[in-house]
Amino acid sequence: MIVLYLLALLISLTGMVVLDRRFSLFFWRDARRARIVLPVGVLFFLVWDLLGVGLGIFFRGETEFMTGLLVAPEVPLEEVFFLTLLCYLTMNVYGALSGERPHPSVHPAGTGSAATTEGRAS
């Protein structure tokens, strides 16, 4: 049970990737932008966490579901995966609600030569 929380986070991240791929929400909409936004968001929240720990606001809770590995004082390994999930979820929701069209180099399922020739066949 020592890695249960980490496993749950990894399964959730996998779900985010599947949804992203299926609906072209974030990485599959604009991979270049996504490769910048996601790490910047995670880094922002890691700095936020470190400031909170330094000010005595945040602290690590002890539980049997976590690995016990720390990436910084009072910042468990699972926090990095949680922040990645949080940022990825936020960007997928933004992608779903924004109504932006996928980047021209991305072709959603169902579009292609068969779909374009159907309209001309009269």
Side-chain angles (χ1 to χ4, degrees), residues 1 8-9 17 24-25 28-29 31 56 61 65 74 76 78 83-84 88 91-92 94 104-105 108 113 116 119 121-122:
M1 287 206 339
L9 289 169
V17 172
S24 296
L25 298 172
W28 275 268
R29 181 172 288 176
F65 301 111
E74 298 296 319
E78 291 86 356
L83 294 175
T84 303
Y88 203 172
M91 294 311 299
N92 276 350
Y94 174 80
S105 66
S113 60
T116 56
S122 330

Side-chain angles (χ1 to χ4, degrees), residues 18-19 24 35 47 63 68 74 77 116:
V18 169
L19 287 171
S24 296
R35 277 183 270 142
V47 169
T63 176
E74 298 296 319
L77 172 67
T116 56

